[in-house]
Amino acid sequence: MQVFQTALSVIYPPRCLGCGETVDSDFGLCATCWSKTAFTGGVSCDACGTPLPGASDTQAVQCDDCMRTPRPWDKGRAALVYDGMGRKLILGLKHGDRQEVARPAAQWMQLAGRDLFKANPLIVPVPLHWIRLATRRYNQSALIAQELAEVSGLDWCPDLLVRTRRTRSLEGKTRSERAEILSGAISVNPKRRHRLTGRPILLIDDVMTTGATLAACTKACYDAGADHVCVCVLARATKDQYMKPGLDEPRKDPRHETR
């Protein structure tokens, strides 16, 4: 088997997830792409994962946005800032069938949210409506959740939450507008309700923008009897990012534009 794997690595050497250059191991980033990836190292908001430059790490702190409007969940963590290489990887996972991104994403999220795993929570992905799932063929949040369950050794439930109706696009909407659109759109699957009763839940998503979707998921979990709910996302979008159009779409390469 080792000989086979060695031969395979010669024929198909590991490639950087960002640029495709040869790297030392599978599912890695080259030095250049790593430098373009904005990890949330240091002190971050205890509720949403936003990096807080200059803050002290002696106690839990929150960003201004979360202090003005408290989150319904207990704690929130993010591995990346939704910009640069992080944005490229997420859009590749979401729209480009780059499912291999889910594995390193889970590893980064495990590090960012390591304190959230101590309560032995049930890992639960944010759901997609079945129409969107049929179009995309997979739920990127569920792929990350599955990998995260594997690396952490925790239980997960891919269909604990369901979207009961299809909602219109949330792009460019404020938090209150998103909350109104999502009202009543997410609920606990009756067949899986027993799995969360009296148990801590860890919600998993690829990107947190205003947090409205995660808030709707949190409400559904608490209404069904969850003990407490925390969230962990691959990336956190800043306010100036998510109020701009095109946040969730790949940028066009000008070389491919028609004139």
Side-chain angles (χ1 to χ4, degrees), residues 236-255:
R236 177 73 168 100
T238 60
K239 189 172 183 178
D240 61 331
Q241 289 177 315
Y242 65 69
M243 290 306 295
K244 293 180 181 179
L247 173 77
D248 194 36
E249 297 295 334
R251 293 190 180 98
K252 293 182 179 179
D253 187 336
R255 295 172 298 176

Side-chain angles (χ1 to χ4, degrees), residues 127-182:
L128 286 180
H129 189 269
W130 70 268
I131 294 179
R132 181 166 294 178
L133 182 60
T135 302
R136 192 174 294 171
R137 296 185 296 105
Y138 59 89
N139 177 357
Q140 72 279 357
S141 297
L143 290 179
I144 296 173
Q146 182 178 19
E147 294 288 350
L148 191 55
E150 183 174 334
V151 298
S152 67
L154 296 175
D155 294 335
W156 78 299
C157 186
D159 59 346
L160 182 80
L161 295 174
V162 294
R163 287 189 182 249
T164 55
R165 59 181 174 83
R166 190 180 185 187
T167 56
R168 63 182 185 275
S169 174
L170 302 179
E171 184 178 348
K173 300 292 192 298
T174 64
R175 181 188 295 181
S176 59
E177 290 171 336
R178 289 176 181 232
E180 182 179 355
I181 293 171
L182 288 164

Side-chain angles (χ1 to χ4, degrees), residues 41-44 51-57 61:
V43 181
S44 299
L52 299 174
S56 171
D57 60 357
V61 290

Side-chain angles (χ1 to χ4, degrees), residues 219-237:
K219 182 180 184 301
C221 288
Y222 277 132
D223 288 347
D227 180 32
H228 70 266
V229 179
C230 292
V231 306
C232 189
V233 298
L234 177 54
R236 177 73 168 100

Side-chain angles (χ1 to χ4, degrees), residues 204-216:
I204 302 300
D205 206 0
D206 55 347
V207 182
M208 183 193 302
T209 50
T210 66
T213 301
L214 287 162

Side-chain angles (χ1 to χ4, degrees), residues 191-206:
K191 296 180 180 180
R192 301 289 182 264
R193 188 186 184 108
H194 65 282
R195 298 200 61 182
L196 63 63
T197 303
R199 184 169 186 181
I201 300 298
L202 182 59
L203 293 173
I204 302 300
D205 206 0
D206 55 347

